[in-house]
Amino acid sequence: MKEKLTNNLGLKIISVFLAFFVWLAVVNISNPEVSDYQEVPLEIVNEGVLEANNLTYEVVGGKNTVTVSYKVQTLDTGTIKPSDFRAYIDLAEMYEPTGAVQVKVEVLRHKNLLIGQPVARPGVIRISTENLQRKRFDLKVSTVGNTEEGYKPGTATISPTYVYVSGPVSKVGQISEVGIEIDVDNANSNRTGTATPKFYDANGNELVDLETDDRVTLNHSEVDYELAILKEKRLALDLKVEGRVADGYRYTGVESSVNSVAVVGLKSNLADVTAVTIPPSELNMDGATGDREVTIDLTKYLPNGVQLAEDENKEITVTIKVEPLESRTYVLSTSQIKQVGASSQYEYEYDRSTINVLIRGLKEDLDQLTVDQFGAEIDVSAMTPGENDGEVMFQAFYENSAYEVVYYDHPQITVREIGPSATDGGDETSGTDDGETAADETTAAD
């Protein structure tokens, strides 16, 4: 049996071919009707009817094609194409309570080949409507990328400076800002070009879905821009102070919330600029009895053609430091007072062993001051035998304005001659002893 089947294989293949040709002949002769279909784009007409009523629309389900079914004879199936049909809905015929619109089909070509009227599936399309909104937005400019080192983006000039966005209320309501982005990556010179506006929500996120929504439109789809790329430089602050603080107080310096600021400008404008000078008129300390804070707008004192870098605050806070003075009494030994111009013919004797010296200064400075630093001196070169007023000079305080001598006890100095003449005829030995004693006291004073 197996051998018979194998031996008849060729005959069977011939039989299959004969059967196919017989079927083909029958089809060509009878050419029966068959059902077929094409997927056809859905056209929407009379949109202006809704726009006139300040409405916009959306096809429920987002369908943009329909299936057109038709009957045709078998031999004509390959001739029929989707472009032979027009499928559309007329918004003027929309049934408002449900938003239903009937799909209509027109035969554009090969109508004679079709049997009966083509039918669209689905036969009805639902439309949802929404109020239309038109809103103005001022265009914002942002940059992407990093400029070449030492350069910063300046101010952009754009045209137009604002746009109108139209679309469904629910869509336009999502938009918080409209702006353009300018690529400044590795830029060291001005950038010009055109950019497409982008939509952003309240958190600064781009609303990409709205940008691709045909129902959301702009009155300007392109924005021309020119962006200056400026040289960056850091400038120190030169703070000028004027005036006099109240009596009993002292100016101790000036402090600023920043010590320098970054500025941008043309390279030629920045060439000779090293600092931003704040004039004395801004920092006046007349009558101050404590720290005085001043808020300064830096933009008022920038050189022509120079502006603050984008990330710099235009206002700074400057504090004029003022502290109260204290008075403190120091006890100075008269042996620590240097005698200037002393004569070897005289001896000099103080009427006291110490004097009180009242010094005024800042507490911190007074805490560090000792009597050894006073540099106390008395000029005795013009003193004559007898009682003399001692005028003490404090050399250290002439050289250091941190301290002020308010008051000191003026010592009396008794001047005596040394030698026989001082004894007026007394014995020489006694005079010599007296002279040695006087000399010892002078040395102690020194």
Side-chain angles (χ1 to χ4, degrees), residues 145-182:
N146 297 312
T147 56
E148 184 178 307
E149 187 175 357
Y151 291 85
K152 286 287 185 181
T155 302
T157 301
I158 60 174
S159 179
T161 58
Y162 62 89
V163 292
Y164 282 97
V165 180
S166 300
V169 171
S170 63
K171 300 297 182 181
V172 176
Q174 298 178 37
I175 303 172
S176 179
E177 287 187 346
V178 180
I180 63 169
E181 293 181 349
I182 302 175

Side-chain angles (χ1 to χ4, degrees), residues 347 418 423 427-440:
E347 65 175 4
I418 300 174
T423 63
D427 68 45
E428 187 175 343
T429 302
S430 176
T432 302
D433 292 340
D434 291 342
E436 289 175 355
T437 302
D440 290 342

Side-chain angles (χ1 to χ4, degrees), residues 46 49 121-122 130 152 162 180 208 212 297 322 363 371 382 412:
N46 282 327
V49 171
R121 296 288 182 272
E130 187 177 354
K152 286 287 185 181
Y162 62 89
I180 63 169
V208 179
T212 57
D297 183 355
V322 177
K363 179 183 182 302
V371 292
Q412 294 291 312

Side-chain angles (χ1 to χ4, degrees), residues 114-135:
L114 301 180
I115 299 169
Q117 179 64 31
V119 178
R121 296 288 182 272
V124 174
I125 296 292
R126 286 192 62 241
I127 298 294
S128 65
T129 61
E130 187 177 354
N131 286 335
L132 189 66
Q133 183 180 17
R134 187 170 187 262
K135 187 176 180 180

Side-chain angles (χ1 to χ4, degrees), residues 53-336:
N53 291 297
N54 201 35
L55 294 174
T56 184
Y57 71 91
E58 182 179 13
V59 177
V60 176
K63 192 170 181 61
N64 56 12
T65 63
V66 293
T67 301
V68 176
S69 300
Y70 55 89
K71 289 185 177 181
V72 67
Q73 291 182 309
T74 303
L75 295 179
D76 295 328
T77 54
T79 305
I80 306 303
K81 306 294 181 186
S83 58
D84 294 337
F85 301 98
R86 178 194 180 206
Y88 67 94
I89 57 174
D90 187 346
L91 296 184
E93 299 176 358
M94 182 181 71
Y95 181 59
E96 291 187 7
T98 62
V101 189
Q102 182 182 1
V103 179
K104 297 181 179 180
V105 178
E106 291 181 1
V107 180
L108 303 178
R109 286 182 293 275
H110 305 305
K111 186 173 183 179
N112 60 314
L113 300 181
L114 301 180
I115 299 169
Q117 179 64 31
V119 178
R121 296 288 182 272
V124 174
I125 296 292
R126 286 192 62 241
I127 298 294
S128 65
T129 61
E130 187 177 354
N131 286 335
L132 189 66
Q133 183 180 17
R134 187 170 187 262
K135 187 176 180 180
R136 169 177 164 159
F137 291 89
D138 291 329
L139 286 170
K140 308 294 183 182
V141 178
S142 59
T143 59
V144 293
N146 297 312
T147 56
E148 184 178 307
E149 187 175 357
Y151 291 85
K152 286 287 185 181
T155 302
T157 301
I158 60 174
S159 179
T161 58
Y162 62 89
V163 292
Y164 282 97
V165 180
S166 300
V169 171
S170 63
K171 300 297 182 181
V172 176
Q174 298 178 37
I175 303 172
S176 179
E177 287 187 346
V178 180
I180 63 169
E181 293 181 349
I182 302 175
D183 184 3
V184 298
D185 205 33
N186 294 318
N188 59 11
S189 60
N190 293 357
R191 291 290 174 95
T192 59
T194 59
T196 302
K198 298 178 181 292
F199 303 143
Y200 302 93
D201 64 17
N203 296 320
N205 301 313
E206 186 178 353
L207 300 170
V208 179
D209 58 329
L210 296 189
E211 295 168 1
T212 57
D213 192 330
D214 293 338
R215 295 174 301 156
V216 181
T217 60
L218 288 160
N219 66 327
H220 292 284
S221 59
E222 295 289 337
V223 177
D224 296 324
Y225 67 82
E226 181 175 2
L227 175 66
I229 302 297
L230 304 174
K231 183 71 175 173
E232 184 180 36
K233 189 174 183 179
R234 197 147 200 97
L235 300 180
L237 295 181
D238 184 12
L239 307 173
K240 305 291 188 182
V241 181
E242 69 176 6
R244 296 186 63 179
V245 299
D247 187 35
Y249 294 84
R250 180 170 294 163
Y251 163 70
T252 59
V254 62
E255 295 179 356
S256 174
S257 55
V258 296
N259 296 320
S260 62
V261 291
V263 298
V264 292
L266 296 177
K267 191 173 183 179
S268 57
N269 290 338
L270 291 174
D272 299 325
V273 180
T274 58
V276 178
T277 300
I278 307 302
S281 56
E282 287 274 21
L283 303 175
N284 185 285
M285 58 182 176
D286 278 337
T289 58
D291 292 352
R292 183 171 289 179
E293 281 193 359
V294 182
T295 300
I296 296 173
D297 183 355
L298 288 175
T299 59
K300 294 166 57 178
Y301 303 108
L302 294 176
N304 290 334
V306 176
Q307 63 189 57
L308 290 172
E310 185 177 348
D311 53 353
E312 291 285 353
N313 292 324
K314 75 171 189 175
E315 289 188 342
I316 64 169
T317 300
V318 176
T319 303
I320 302 172
K321 306 292 290 183
V322 177
E323 296 183 34
L325 296 174
E326 290 188 4
S327 295
R328 189 174 301 177
T329 299
Y330 292 81
V331 178
L332 175 66
S333 173
T334 51
S335 64
Q336 294 176 284

